[in-house]
Amino acid sequence: MDSILVRGNGPLKGQIPIAGAKNACLTLMPATLLTDEPLTLTNAPRLSDIKTMSELLASLGTEVASLQDGQVLALGTKEISNHTADYDIVRKMRASILVLGPMLARDGEAVVSLPGGCAIGARPVDLHLKGLEALGAVLELKDGYVHATAPGGLKGAQFEFPFVSVGATENILMAATLAKGTTVLKNAAREPEIVDLAECLRKMGAEIGGEGTSTITIQGVEQLHGATHPVVTDRIELGTYMLAPAITGGEVELLGGRRSLLGAFCNKLEAAGVEVEETSAGLKVAQKNSRIRAVDVVTEPYPGFPTDLQAQMMALLCTADGTSVLEETIFENRFMHAPELMRMGADIDVHGGTATVTGVDRLKGAPVMATDLRASVSLILAGLAAEGETVVSRVYHLDRGYEHVVGKLSACGASIERIRG
Ligand code: EPZ
């Protein structure tokens, strides 16, 4: 298994291009199942999760062509020749559950393995299932698989999510586009990836309103047609790289970044003393003070502070002047980066969903282990600021959500390399 070697090398300076959003692409790709016409996604990120979704769709009968070095995905599902999403693929990537709604909407049948848990939590899919049942689906759980049918097709309905779920909102939104009648989703997720999905579905002929608010209304149509759609900028990659100059000092321009994607996060960075400025090309981030100020963080559904940036923010706060309290309200086990940061000299006290971080003058490089996607990059950020060498192992986690990390950071002066293992 490969690892990443990082040496603390002083302030960063330069530009980092931000790719298309993994979490938008993973919900846009299954939309191909809703139509027999071609769906082309541009600005697609080159990530292992995208390859996994391509494999899954191909196993269902989708033709997938990856063009222009992976930045364009040409998808075509003339017919769904296999309605079963196998456990082997689903267990590798939980977003596989997003083929359930579209398959059901198109053909009235789908068999999808339950995804199982993952490092950051149990991550049940009960809201996906309840939402589809509200649209008239008949679900049966057998041998770890959801057997779903929609005799006579799905029917529009009103459904209120008991709490916000990004994936469940995406699944039901896609299914509702071909349901008979009107669907109203209440307490829907408001993430930019949901807005991006709605915009793509509308280009395909869907009738959708309210995306980005808590109430989304969908008027079902007979069928959808093909479209070409650019994947929205990855706000989590953006926030991750904004933290690089914040933790090392210096100044970096994030190309393609927009403050509107990360309002709460930018406000928190500024409260910590980091300068964030919109430019014509993106967002410029500078940290000129000797120390970061401590700030408290509570993760929330959009437009709150993103849970996917909690681990990375913790790395920054490990070097702050003072004590910060981070509350993780979305996932039950998303502090696994804390013990690894403590190996680097961080002072962190974890109790349940709350981590209290007391900043130290300087972190010390050490061998550490990536436990999940966002934890892996949190450790790299810490390594950029630490004294000496940090070796992050199990970087296959990193490859799921970040392309060319070594290239992007070394272009700004970081001392970082990938060691083939
Ligand atoms: C999406 O996961 C993202 N993944 C996650 O990003 C992100 O952390 C999460 O949304 C929250 O923003 C993709 O988009 C592929 P949820 P999702 O449904 O849809 C519970 C990353 O690092 N829940 O909003 O799975 C769930 O366990 C990944 O890129 C149920 O209980 O998240 C969690 O505690 C990690 N039942 C909470 O709700 C359900 O049916 C929010 O989950 C669904 C979810």
Side-chain angles (χ1 to χ4, degrees):
M1 281 185 268
D2 291 2
S3 50
I4 297 256
L5 168 62
V6 198
R7 291 183 191 85
N9 195 33
L12 296 181
K13 190 150 182 53
Q15 295 181 319
I16 296 180
I18 303 301
K22 166 179 87 80
N23 291 349
C25 202
L26 289 175
T27 190
L28 289 164
M29 291 172 77
T32 180
L33 298 167
L34 292 167
T35 176
D36 58 4
E37 294 187 13
L39 173 63
T40 302
L41 300 174
T42 60
N43 194 38
R46 281 71 60 96
L47 303 167
S48 59
D49 269 8
I50 304 306
K51 287 198 181 69
T52 305
M53 182 58 83
S54 301
E55 275 167 37
L56 172 59
L57 290 170
S59 76
L60 303 176
T62 301
E63 279 176 38
V64 185
S66 172
L67 313 169
Q68 290 178 35
D69 186 26
Q71 282 206 301
V72 173
L73 295 172
L75 306 163
T77 313
K78 287 195 174 50
E79 62 158 2
I80 300 174
S81 50
N82 163 34
H83 291 84
T84 299
D86 267 349
Y87 176 56
D88 280 356
I89 298 187
V90 174
R91 70 182 170 77
K92 267 199 298 189
M93 188 187 60
R94 311 179 34 71
S96 307
I97 191 77
L98 294 172
V99 302
L100 176 57
M103 266 204 282
L104 204 47
R106 168 96 177 263
D107 286 352
E109 61 172 305
V111 181
V112 178
S113 165
L114 281 172
C118 82
I120 62 177
R123 306 203 49 198
V125 291
D126 52 321
L127 296 193
H128 296 244
L129 306 183
K130 286 195 183 88
L132 291 171
E133 283 177 323
L135 297 183
V138 176
L139 306 178
E140 194 195 341
L141 243 41
K142 218 164 58 183
D143 312 325
Y145 282 76
V146 177
H147 292 250
T149 53
L154 295 173
K155 293 171 191 60
Q158 173 145 327
F159 180 74
E160 178 154 4
F161 292 95
F163 50 85
V164 171
S165 163
V166 172
T169 300
E170 292 163 345
N171 229 336
I172 313 313
L173 170 58
M174 286 191 280
T177 58
L178 294 177
K180 290 182 188 61
T182 304
T183 297
V184 179
L185 301 180
K186 289 190 170 304
N187 200 22
R190 300 168 55 192
E191 273 68 5
E193 292 76 35
I194 307 268
V195 173
D196 200 40
L197 173 62
E199 285 170 358
C200 179
L201 292 168
R202 221 182 344 259
K203 285 179 189 171
M204 297 168 69
E207 291 177 22
I208 301 170
E211 71 278 0
T213 75
S214 302
T215 302
I216 304 177
T217 303
I218 307 104
Q219 182 63 42
V221 294
E222 272 301 301
Q223 62 181 20
L224 295 181
H225 51 72
T228 296
H229 182 75
V231 178
V232 68
T233 302
D234 193 326
R235 63 193 169 96
I236 305 303
E237 187 193 25
L238 170 62
T240 300
Y241 286 121
M242 288 172 74
L243 286 163
I247 203 167
T248 62
E251 181 176 290
V252 172
E253 185 174 29
L254 294 314
L255 305 178
R258 298 198 310 276
R259 192 181 182 112
S260 60
L261 290 168
L262 277 178
F265 175 79
C266 291
N267 295 344
K268 202 51 87 171
L269 267 196
E270 287 173 327
V274 178
E275 290 170 24
V276 178
E277 178 201 341
E278 291 221 279
T279 68
S280 56
L283 282 181
K284 189 179 283 183
V285 175
Q287 154 55 355
K288 295 172 183 138
N289 309 322
S290 55
R291 289 285 292 274
I292 286 286
R293 285 195 292 270
V295 290
D296 295 341
V297 171
V298 180
T299 63
E300 295 172 305
Y302 193 88
F305 189 101
T307 174
D308 291 351
L309 284 170
Q310 177 260 109
Q312 300 91 311
M313 188 70 177
M314 186 185 285
L316 176 70
L317 295 174
C318 287
T319 66
D321 179 9
T323 297
S324 311
V325 176
L326 288 99
E327 207 184 325
E328 172 56 62
T329 70
I330 308 291
F331 291 106
E332 65 267 31
N333 184 33
R334 203 170 197 177
F335 285 140
M336 286 173 298
H337 41 286
E340 299 303 314
L341 289 167
M342 288 154 81
R343 287 178 49 74
M344 299 175 71
D347 179 351
I348 307 169
D349 194 18
V350 173
H351 279 290
T354 301
T356 303
V357 179
T358 302
V360 296
D361 282 350
R362 189 93 198 264
L363 293 171
K364 303 232 175 339
V368 289
M369 187 177 76
T371 48
D372 59 85
L373 167 58
R374 307 302 175 184
S376 59
V377 78
S378 158
L379 298 171
I380 288 176
L381 289 170
L384 290 175
E387 189 183 332
E389 288 189 352
T390 299
V391 179
V392 182
S393 61
R394 301 192 178 184
V395 290
Y396 57 83
H397 290 293
L398 192 69
D399 298 335
R400 297 190 54 170
Y402 292 91
E403 58 175 73
H404 309 321
V405 172
V406 171
K408 291 186 175 187
L409 286 172
S410 41
C412 293
S415 169
I416 179 169
E417 58 190 281
R418 186 170 186 126
I419 302 168
R420 298 280 168 218

